[in-house]
Amino acid sequence: MKTVIALSGLVLVLFAASLLIGPAAVGVPDQLRALLTGEGEAVVLVMREIRLPRALLGLMVGAALGLSGAAMQGYLRNPLAEPGLIGVSPAASLGAVLALQTGLAAAFAPALPLAALLAAGLSVGLLFVLAGPRGGALTLILAGVALSALAGALTSLVLSLSPNPFAVAEIVFWLMGSLADRSMLHVWLAAPVMAVGVLLLMGTGRGLDALTLGEDAAAALGIPLRRLRAQVVLGVAALVGAATAVAGAVGFVGLVVPHVLRPLVGGRPAALLPVSALGGAAVVLAADIATRVIAPDRDLKLGVLTAIVGAPFFFHLIFRMRRGLE
């Protein structure tokens, strides 16, 4: 409980900082007045149309990635598992790339996130077809790897065959991941899908705790393993698909956050789920604030920053595992 309270306080502080930090030279009282009362036309535009959607998406995307990572690690019983294993993120990226390349995103603003969500949904259907109704965790991983490879190859094909260099540049920048230039439309598109994902994953706590004893023991305790697998896959797909649809590729959050917070909850998957959601929200909000503070005059991408910070941590995990085996 102390961990939840501390992380909740940290998320609130970072959310407020995300609202108040930016290149616009406006005092804090004026910012708060514009946000709460709507006074000051220019400041209201900055606060309600630019910073508020960005802060809300940082909160939502971070929570989605952190919760998804904790659920995947609990289901696969592997602390190095991450949400991208089931191939939803590359598929959602492919959908967004196609929307950008065909010009649909320019003609119809919601086309990009909708195309990404559609591609994510199709990838989940293919995943269940490939894994089969009785497929275990290994089959699920192999099917996800195959889908990731296919989606990545098709994305590269679109980029290599694109005759429009401006579209290619836009695609590359989008794939780097960012919360800049998002609107409340993105928030409303992602929120219902993420809400479904949260409900699905938060209902898996008892099953994930039982799985720590092994699949046979979990089945003996009355856990319906097929339903648990469907809940985890659908919940992760909804959260990761929606996050990728509105923010692009933001890596390492779903891997690093649950791994760091696991010792604080005694390693119980059920307890780790809400803690990881709060931790993920804090990480993404902090990273997005850093992109504005480090390079205010440059468009530093959120996904680039999380990868720069997350990759060394991943290397640290690898070396620590090697020392444990020697």
Side-chain angles (χ1 to χ4, degrees):
M1 181 60 70
K2 291 182 179 179
T3 303
V4 172
I5 294 173
L7 286 174
S8 298
L10 178 61
V11 170
L12 287 175
V13 170
L14 290 171
F15 183 82
S18 181
L19 285 173
L20 300 176
I21 294 176
V26 182
V28 173
D30 292 334
Q31 294 181 52
L32 294 176
R33 188 181 307 111
L35 182 64
L36 298 175
T37 67
E39 296 180 7
E41 184 175 348
V43 184
V44 169
L45 179 65
V46 170
M47 296 302 296
R48 292 188 176 182
E49 301 299 326
I50 298 176
R51 292 190 187 173
L52 180 60
R54 187 167 184 166
L56 288 172
L57 286 175
L59 178 69
M60 293 162 57
V61 169
L65 296 176
L67 178 57
S68 299
M72 285 299 295
Q73 291 178 13
Y75 177 71
L76 297 176
R77 289 168 286 165
N78 186 339
L80 297 182
E82 59 101 16
L85 279 177
I86 61 174
V88 174
S89 181
S93 297
L94 175 61
V97 166
L98 290 174
L100 289 168
Q101 177 59 37
T102 57
L104 287 176
F108 180 58
L112 190 151
L114 288 175
L117 287 172
L118 177 61
L122 291 175
S123 73
V124 174
L126 285 173
L127 183 70
F128 279 117
V129 170
L130 291 172
R134 299 183 181 180
L138 179 59
T139 308
L140 189 70
I141 293 174
L142 291 175
V145 170
L147 287 174
S148 296
L150 177 61
L154 291 176
T155 300
S156 299
L157 181 65
V158 172
L159 285 170
S160 64
L161 297 181
S162 175
N164 187 344
F166 298 104
V168 171
E170 188 174 4
I171 290 169
V172 170
F173 286 140
W174 186 88
L175 289 173
M176 292 180 184
S178 176
L179 297 177
D181 302 322
R182 304 304 192 261
S183 68
M184 289 303 296
L185 174 64
H186 294 85
V187 174
W188 295 122
L189 284 174
V193 182
M194 288 187 176
V196 172
V198 170
L199 291 175
L200 286 171
L201 292 187
M202 294 305 292
T204 64
R206 178 173 173 268
L208 295 179
D209 281 350
L211 266 182
T212 59
L213 304 174
E215 291 189 359
D216 293 338
L221 291 172
I223 302 299
L225 296 180
R226 290 190 193 177
R227 189 175 73 183
L228 178 63
R229 183 186 73 159
Q231 274 188 263
V232 171
V233 172
L234 291 174
V236 170
L239 289 173
V240 175
T244 306
V246 296
V250 180
F252 288 97
V253 176
L255 168 65
V256 172
V257 170
H259 196 87
V260 170
L261 297 177
R262 184 172 287 104
L264 301 180
V265 297
R268 283 186 55 237
L272 187 61
L273 293 176
V275 170
S276 294
L278 291 170
V283 167
V284 172
L285 284 170
D288 188 52
I289 293 170
T291 62
R292 285 175 267 177
V293 173
I294 294 173
D297 299 327
R298 302 274 183 146
D299 189 13
L300 178 61
K301 297 299 182 181
L302 176 64
V304 174
L305 184 61
T306 57
I308 289 174
V309 174
F313 180 84
F314 192 70
F315 295 148
H316 167 70
L317 292 180
I318 294 173
F319 289 128
R320 193 170 69 177
M321 290 180 66
R322 280 180 52 186
R323 286 198 300 267
L325 295 174
E326 292 175 352

